[in-house]
Amino acid sequence: MFVSNRQMARLKSLPRAVGSWALDSGGFTEITTYGEWRTSPEQYVKLIRRYHDEVGGLAWASQQDFMCEEKALRMTGLTIEQHQDLTVRNFLTLRGLAPELRIVPVVQGWLRPHYMRCVEKFMAAGVDLTQEPLVGVGSICRRPSTHVAGWILEDLHAAGLKLHAFGYKKSGLTASWPHVASADSMAWSKGGRYERTCGTHKSESNCLNHAMWWRGELLDRLADARDRV
């Protein structure tokens, strides 16, 4: 499971995990709403530690990156390069505050050269992304076509990075599965708003059965893609 910090942070009593899960920083909502991070690195680390101890099963947490979609850039008034610099700086801060936590760095950009430049910025700051267990790839989910995103993932994979694709489409994964280690998607929930298959909900947007069906269908599709290769 991939759960947003914006949902978790509002809970007074936390559930106990029965399986492995990862934490999304909730950055897109925070940046596009406020034009900045209102959650400080210190506050974020405190929350991650709480989830780690009280919920359990936390595999990793995403850093507080600065995405590079047009809406995010418009809200901050900054450039792609400045967003990359802030992303690198945040990761260094979080790692300094909590070296014991598995916080995943995120490469940001929009076009293919941007992402390779972001890798170079991490390297210049002393972070060798090829040695990280996982590296997130941001700003690839809200694109009219998956072709550019697929090329970006292929470039980063060829550079030796083990990738998590944030919010990546089914059609994109069918082509890019050799280049990613993991991916997440809210498509099952968004699609579930317009379906009523269980007969016990007004919609399937929060239905575990629907989520597991969607996941199984995706895994079958990826298996077929591997078999064809």
Side-chain angles (χ1 to χ4, degrees), residues 16-74:
R16 190 70 185 172
V18 295
S20 179
W21 65 286
L23 180 70
D24 177 33
S25 66
F28 184 82
T29 300
E30 193 145 347
I31 295 297
T32 57
T33 301
Y34 306 115
E36 62 181 358
W37 275 98
R38 295 285 178 90
T39 305
S40 71
E42 291 79 10
Q43 290 171 324
Y44 189 48
V45 163
K46 183 178 180 180
L47 288 167
I48 298 173
R49 286 197 173 113
R50 184 188 177 207
Y51 306 148
H52 179 275
D53 296 340
E54 296 183 28
V55 179
L58 180 60
W60 54 270
S62 174
Q63 73 154 111
Q64 296 171 291
D65 55 316
F66 285 73
M67 57 293 313
C68 294
E69 286 97 335
E70 182 181 353
K71 185 177 181 181
L73 294 171
R74 187 168 61 249

Side-chain angles (χ1 to χ4, degrees), residues 123-137:
M123 294 287 282
V127 181
D128 184 354
L129 295 182
T130 66
Q131 299 303 307
E132 295 293 322
L134 195 66
V135 177
V137 184

Side-chain angles (χ1 to χ4, degrees), residues 158-218:
L161 278 60
K162 294 171 280 293
L163 306 175
H164 176 86
F166 287 111
Y168 205 42
K169 295 180 176 67
K170 272 186 178 181
S171 57
L173 279 177
T174 303
S176 298
W177 63 266
H179 307 135
V180 300
S182 60
D184 67 89
S185 176
M186 281 291 290
W188 69 271
S189 182
K190 291 181 179 179
R193 296 174 187 173
Y194 310 103
E195 297 182 23
R196 188 175 180 181
T197 57
C198 287
T200 57
H201 317 288
K202 291 183 178 180
S203 77
E204 306 304 320
S205 59
N206 289 298
C207 176
L208 177 60
N209 290 331
H210 178 72
M212 295 305 293
W213 169 84
W214 187 93
R215 176 179 180 272
E217 195 274 335
L218 173 58

